[in-house]
Amino acid sequence: MANGRWGTFSHYGAQGVTGGDALGIALGRMVTGISSPVESERGFAARVRYLTKVDAGYEAMDRAGVHVSPRTLMAWLAEERMPRSKAMLARVDAAYWELRRRNLAADLKRRLHNGGRGTRVEINPVNQSGVDPKHQRDLTSRLSTRDVNVRDLDLWDRAVDAWLANDQVELDEVWARICQDRLGTDWEAYEYVDSIGWDA
């Protein structure tokens, strides 16, 4: 994948992901939910109850390919039976997490807004430990872990909305904006990162 000053990233073994990918991963880590696995009776029943409380849950099941008869759904809710198919269990799990993400979106934005102060982001640069020194990018000689405070609340809203929509292009654009605003002339060196994180 060619990108900016990195050229063909990972060609010589550099390890990392695009900043947009890292942004999505970090947002995903903020989402909590049912801890019991979907393969367990308890975990499956809890997911079905959650999904069937609101119309949005039925819509999530439809998008995930959970197409069963009303009788089967009632049996699931009554905990009389559960799917034998691993594929169906996976679809129910996917529907649950999609709905869970959507239900938590407003809370994620509130936490990232942090009362209008924004959120401090730690950026861990690309890992080139496995790259032969003669192939390491010159720009990495000055790379280090960076801390930036993202106070632009609109950027956080855009990031959460893009993450919900699985819009990788928008996530990459949000990340580029964060880097350009906060890292100055070094911003392209952080187009790819090892990871990012925050406490929110």
Side-chain angles (χ1 to χ4, degrees):
M1 178 175 176
N3 198 326
R5 291 161 64 186
W6 281 101
T8 304
F9 183 76
S10 79
H11 180 70
Y12 293 108
Q15 298 177 26
V17 296
T18 68
D21 280 336
L23 194 53
I25 292 167
L27 286 166
R29 286 198 299 262
M30 296 178 72
V31 177
T32 58
I34 298 166
S35 58
S36 301
V38 70
E39 295 84 1
S40 70
E41 292 182 5
R42 178 177 181 179
F44 177 76
R47 284 164 175 79
V48 172
R49 285 195 299 271
Y50 188 84
L51 286 163
T52 54
K53 284 181 180 178
V54 292
D55 288 344
Y58 289 94
E59 293 165 5
M61 285 193 287
D62 185 57
R63 285 190 295 271
V66 180
H67 302 133
V68 296
S69 68
R71 181 176 180 179
T72 295
L73 189 57
M74 291 302 295
W76 286 358
L77 284 167
E79 300 184 42
E80 294 173 353
R81 58 179 164 147
M82 59 185 288
R84 296 178 181 177
S85 163
K86 289 184 178 180
M88 179 58 77
L89 289 171
R91 288 194 285 269
V92 170
D93 195 46
Y96 165 74
W97 285 110
E98 181 198 335
L99 181 62
R100 185 68 179 154
R101 287 193 297 271
R102 291 184 180 280
N103 286 345
L104 288 176
D107 182 59
L108 297 189
K109 291 178 181 180
R110 179 188 60 77
R111 289 162 61 186
L112 291 164
H113 287 184
N114 192 24
R117 296 185 294 276
T119 295
R120 181 166 293 278
V121 178
E122 180 179 278
I123 307 170
N124 298 306
V126 164
N127 181 351
Q128 288 208 110
S129 61
V131 181
D132 188 305
K134 69 181 179 183
H135 293 304
Q136 290 186 6
R137 305 295 192 210
D138 291 339
L139 61 88
T140 60
S141 62
R142 59 179 179 275
L143 286 186
S144 60
T145 297
R146 299 287 296 270
D147 289 314
V148 297
N149 194 10
V150 181
R151 295 186 176 90
D152 187 336
L153 306 186
D154 178 61
L155 282 179
W156 285 125
D157 289 349
R158 285 177 58 191
V160 172
D161 290 342
W163 167 74
L164 279 175
N166 292 313
D167 187 343
Q168 191 58 48
V169 172
E170 174 71 351
L171 281 171
D172 286 336
E173 289 179 359
V174 170
W175 181 251
R177 174 70 183 278
I178 289 171
C179 290
Q180 290 167 11
D181 288 352
R182 297 296 169 187
L183 299 174
T185 57
D186 279 343
W187 77 269
E188 282 188 316
Y190 293 87
E191 285 181 288
Y192 288 88
V193 297
D194 183 62
S195 64
I196 65 173
W198 54 72
D199 184 14

